[in-house]
Amino acid sequence: MAPQNNSLLELSCVSKYFGGLAALSEVSLYIKRGEIYGLIGPNGAGKTTLFNIVTGLYRLDEGEFNFDGIAYAHCKPHVLAEAGIARTFQNIRLFANMSALENIMVGRHVRTHTGIWGALTRNVAARAEERAITQRARELLRFVGIDGPHQTLAKHLSYGEQRRLEIARALATDPKMLALDEPAAGMNATETESLKTLLQTIRNSGITVLLIEHDVKLILGLCDRIAVLDYGKKIAEGTPDEVRRNQTVIAAYLGGEAA
Amino acid sequence: MNLGKFPYCKKCNAWRVFAVLAIVLLALPFVTDALLGRGWVRIADFALLYIMLALGLNIVVGYAGLLDLGYVAFFAVGAYNYALLSSPQFGLHWPVWVVLPLGGLLAGFFGVLLGAPTLRLRGDYLAIVTLGFGEIIRIFLNNLNAPVNVTNGPQGISMIDPVQSGGISLGSTQQVFGITLPSVHLYYYLFLCFTLLVIFVSLRLENSRIGRAWMAIREDEVAAEAMGINTRNIKLLAFSMGATFGGLSGGLFAGFQGFISPESFSLTESVMILCMVVLGGMGNIGGVILGGVLLVLLPEALRNGAGPVQQWLFGKTLVDPESLRMLLFGLALVVVMLVRPAGLWPSTQRRRELSDDDDDVVKQELESVYGSSK
């Protein structure tokens, strides 16, 4: 399974240890440009660990990690955000006391440049940039379907809206890859359905999506390819159909020895 | 709750308010002088100095959410910079327009110096390190009289030049357009200009890309970094911006007082400035100004008022006003924090955060429970 030329993200033999515990051991995978790539596995399988490595929150102990042809093995999160990886969090981490609009405006930080001087003088360039930031933030709010007053504090939004706002904030960084950590957690069927549509629209706009999800139905219906992790190892990879029929995967999910 | 709601101002109304405010501020020293005496003009000067300090600390604590208990150190750096460069201590008498900016820059540098090792710390831990930093600076100034005498130790530096430029000294009475302006009045106007500058800078920064990044760090540092904010640089920027304001007002303080000693830069001062920020309303410029004014005026008012009130009530002075005033002052702080936990004039955001708009919450809860069934 050699990485192909059109792969955006490549992990080779990535390991991560917490104390003596191998949270990830020698996981290799690649994600192609423009696909929706799913990551599933039982609780504690290492999905979030892998996710945190890809977004720079954890440093990997062994292995390599390339994004868009450049090695990023030991970079800080903001470097990876600049490189084009944007993420959401499993337990929503919005800027709770900032308005919905401001949350997204913060996301534009990495693509804008106004410094102290621009802020103080409010010169032509700074004003133009500020207008562009606001406009883009409004567009993104509409895009994820949060209507109503933009000044609502993030924490006063409904749960589903908070999830979507987090996606909008991530999209504001103009990512090449959007990494979502259980975006459908706690959502009802209707909300999940609209999330699915949203993710498809995002993919169609050319953004690669990496998705961790417990909702197997959602992930099988949405992803182009899926990797299955169990005890920190990749036990299967392939299209939803392949994974669904994989005996090791069935064993991992249902317990017992693989038949 | 409509405590925080202010009447909606149209643009013309805003100008009217602005004009009235300007006249009040300009006339204040004369009115105060006539009604209460010159001592109160001096207190007004100090109020302005503290407002500058509080606004500087507001950048660090209010915007970036970094609890700094050693802020007075930057005030000290600015003050000693001024004192050493324009006093007989070294025989240097550099012009004020060099010394003041230099004090700001130097304090800003010290801000980075404090910020760099504390980047990974938050909350209580950061508070303790900054507390230590503040004390180190004070003790350093206290002991830097041997083996080489730099700061004159606990005796402090005296005979510091007043703020002066082009033969006009703010240290003595001046005639301007036929109006006689005593020294305290002159300093009042000088401090007012600097305070307005600091307010302007704070306002501009608050509503900018940098200001949003500060607030994002305050709200959630991990998320802020994941969104591409270089938290190291942005935090250092907050520290150095806040410190610059501190250094600037330190220089003004030294010129105004003519004498400084390490005693003026104790932990109590740091705590006092922090109180102004928290009591007034963290992150809200108006609130911080209000906090600064109150915390300077209240102790003075108690000092001057406690004696006569006791005379009137009991016919004699039961408790020494001097010892009573800090008791009452502390009591006032406790009451304010109990009644208005977000500060007297909170920023819209903190107000919403702490106000009990249970209705909204209940409505949302109901929606999230039953809303899906429709």
Side-chain angles (χ1 to χ4, degrees):
Chain A
M1 186 195 54
Q4 300 165 8
N5 282 336
N6 63 347
S7 64
L8 181 64
L9 178 93
E10 288 167 25
L11 297 180
S12 48
C13 293
V14 168
S15 301
K16 173 75 190 173
Y17 305 98
F18 292 116
L21 183 82
L24 281 180
S25 55
E26 301 189 342
V27 172
S28 300
L29 55 85
Y30 66 95
I31 299 175
K32 286 187 271 190
R33 276 173 212 279
E35 72 178 345
I36 300 185
Y37 191 91
L39 203 56
I40 58 173
N43 286 329
K47 304 184 295 288
T48 299
T49 306
L50 187 134
F51 208 78
N52 284 341
I53 285 175
V54 169
T55 53
L57 234 54
Y58 294 163
R59 306 281 168 91
L60 50 81
D61 293 321
E62 289 160 23
E64 278 175 46
F65 147 38
N66 289 317
F67 181 73
D68 212 9
I70 302 167
Y72 284 104
H74 298 284
C75 287
K76 294 198 134 210
H78 70 88
V79 178
L80 285 157
E82 201 174 345
I85 301 180
R87 70 170 292 171
T88 65
F89 292 87
Q90 189 174 347
N91 40 348
I92 303 171
R93 298 188 82 144
L94 285 166
F95 307 124
N97 295 308
M98 295 171 83
S99 72
L101 196 68
E102 279 175 323
N103 265 274
I104 306 181
M105 288 167 86
V106 170
R108 291 300 297 162
H109 182 93
V110 70
R111 302 289 170 224
T112 47
H113 309 284
T114 307
I116 290 280
W117 185 247
L120 290 185
T121 55
R122 234 170 247 186
N123 53 26
V124 180
R127 281 202 306 270
E129 193 174 87
E130 195 70 14
R131 265 198 306 277
I133 292 172
T134 318
Q135 199 192 339
R136 180 95 176 96
R138 291 229 164 89
E139 283 168 17
L140 281 166
L141 262 187
R142 268 197 301 276
F143 177 71
V144 297
I146 300 175
D147 305 316
H150 299 154
Q151 297 310 323
T152 315
L153 292 194
K155 64 174 178 196
H156 290 163
L157 293 174
S158 75
Y159 183 80
E161 282 175 329
Q162 289 190 6
R163 284 268 177 218
R164 289 204 298 273
L165 180 59
E166 234 194 349
I167 294 175
R169 187 180 66 179
L171 286 175
T173 65
D174 287 345
K176 290 174 188 152
M177 186 177 90
L178 179 66
L180 304 165
D181 198 348
E182 299 198 17
M187 281 190 174
N188 60 39
T190 338
E191 285 170 328
T192 308
E193 199 51 43
S194 76
L195 176 77
K196 191 172 165 183
T197 324
L198 180 66
L199 292 184
Q200 275 161 346
T201 322
I202 290 170
R203 187 260 295 273
N204 291 342
S205 71
I207 297 170
T208 310
V209 178
L210 167 62
L211 186 66
I212 293 185
E213 191 46 72
H214 266 309
D215 189 332
V216 176
K217 204 175 116 203
L218 173 73
I219 218 155
L220 290 177
L222 192 60
C223 294
D224 301 306
R225 287 189 310 133
I226 295 166
V228 188
L229 290 182
D230 192 23
Y231 292 113
K233 290 196 172 69
K234 188 173 85 174
I235 57 170
E237 186 179 33
T239 62
D241 269 344
E242 289 164 7
V243 168
R244 207 195 315 248
R245 286 194 297 266
N246 189 307
Q247 288 304 314
T248 333
V249 176
I250 295 168
Y253 266 91
L254 299 179
E257 295 300 310
Chain B
M1 262 179 62
N2 57 359
L3 275 166
K5 274 182 194 154
F6 286 86
Y8 175 71
C9 296
K10 284 177 185 162
K11 205 161 192 177
C12 57
N13 270 348
W15 277 109
R16 233 169 272 162
V17 170
F18 191 72
V20 170
L21 202 66
I23 292 168
V24 168
L25 285 174
L26 284 176
L28 191 72
F30 291 100
V31 176
T32 319
D33 196 6
L35 293 178
L36 298 163
R38 193 143 296 174
W40 279 92
V41 184
R42 206 178 152 72
I43 292 166
D45 290 5
F46 272 107
L48 288 172
L49 271 181
Y50 275 105
I51 288 171
M52 273 185 257
L53 284 171
L55 285 170
L57 184 62
N58 182 47
I59 288 183
V60 185
V61 178
Y63 295 163
L66 304 161
L67 186 51
D68 185 349
L69 283 183
Y71 185 69
V72 81
F74 307 122
F75 187 51
V77 167
Y80 268 88
N81 170 74
Y82 187 101
L84 294 175
L85 294 179
S86 38
S87 76
Q89 176 76 359
F90 291 134
L92 294 173
H93 298 280
W94 289 19
V96 69
W97 42 267
V98 173
V99 178
L100 277 182
L102 191 68
L105 284 178
L106 196 67
F109 170 73
F110 270 83
V112 174
L113 217 60
L114 165 67
T118 57
L119 284 170
R120 289 152 171 262
L121 305 175
R122 279 193 79 78
D124 325 359
Y125 307 100
L126 179 66
I128 289 171
V129 175
T130 53
L131 180 92
F133 177 79
E135 284 300 279
I136 287 170
I137 296 284
R138 187 181 63 81
I139 293 168
F140 206 61
L141 294 171
N142 214 11
N143 291 293
L144 216 62
N145 54 351
V148 185
N149 186 6
V150 180
T151 63
N152 228 7
Q155 273 129 13
I157 299 172
S158 53
M159 291 166 67
I160 302 167
D161 298 347
V163 179
Q164 57 191 356
S165 183
I168 299 168
S169 164
L170 299 195
S172 52
T173 307
Q174 299 284 348
Q175 297 280 344
V176 182
F177 304 123
I179 305 167
T180 312
L181 290 170
S183 175
V184 273
H185 288 49
L186 292 166
Y187 274 108
Y188 172 85
Y189 292 117
L190 178 75
F191 291 176
L192 189 62
C193 290
F194 274 99
T195 307
L196 291 176
L197 177 77
V198 169
I199 292 172
F200 174 79
V201 171
S202 294
L203 274 174
R204 282 271 159 112
L205 286 177
E206 186 180 351
N207 299 306
S208 72
R209 171 173 172 265
I210 304 287
R212 282 192 299 270
W214 282 336
M215 288 173 215
I217 288 176
R218 178 188 72 198
E219 294 296 320
D220 190 326
E221 198 171 333
V222 174
E225 189 157 27
M227 287 304 115
I229 292 171
N230 186 336
T231 50
R232 183 195 59 198
N233 292 358
I234 293 290
K235 279 163 93 172
L236 286 181
L237 194 62
F239 270 119
S240 66
M241 279 306 292
T244 305
F245 289 174
L248 203 62
S249 49
L252 293 170
F253 171 72
F256 176 54
Q257 281 282 76
F259 167 76
I260 55 165
S261 73
E263 237 177 273
S264 316
F265 310 106
S266 62
L267 174 64
T268 326
E269 291 297 309
S270 286
V271 173
M272 206 66 170
I273 302 165
L274 187 67
C275 277
M276 292 172 186
V277 176
V278 175
L279 186 100
M282 242 194 284
N284 184 27
I285 294 171
V288 171
I289 295 172
L290 182 68
V293 171
L294 280 182
L295 260 65
V296 172
L297 293 191
L298 204 61
E300 297 302 328
L302 289 172
R303 188 212 302 269
N304 293 318
V309 169
Q310 285 185 61
Q311 283 286 350
W312 178 69
L313 277 177
F314 313 112
K316 60 181 174 184
T317 307
L318 289 174
V319 189
D320 176 25
E322 196 58 31
S323 45
L324 191 65
R325 79 183 173 115
M326 280 334 249
L327 179 75
L328 292 176
F329 181 63
L331 209 63
L333 285 188
V334 173
V335 169
V336 168
M337 282 340 289
L338 283 176
V339 178
R340 308 221 62 190
L344 290 170
W345 184 359
S347 73
T348 43
Q349 282 156 18
R350 281 190 66 84
R351 183 163 63 236
R352 273 180 278 182
E353 175 188 351
L354 288 164
S355 71
D356 41 356
D357 40 1
D358 293 325
D359 293 355
D360 271 21
V361 177
V362 170
K363 208 162 74 188
Q364 270 176 34
E365 289 293 312
L366 289 175
E367 264 170 25
S368 66
V369 175
Y370 302 110
S372 56
S373 58
K374 62 180 167 184

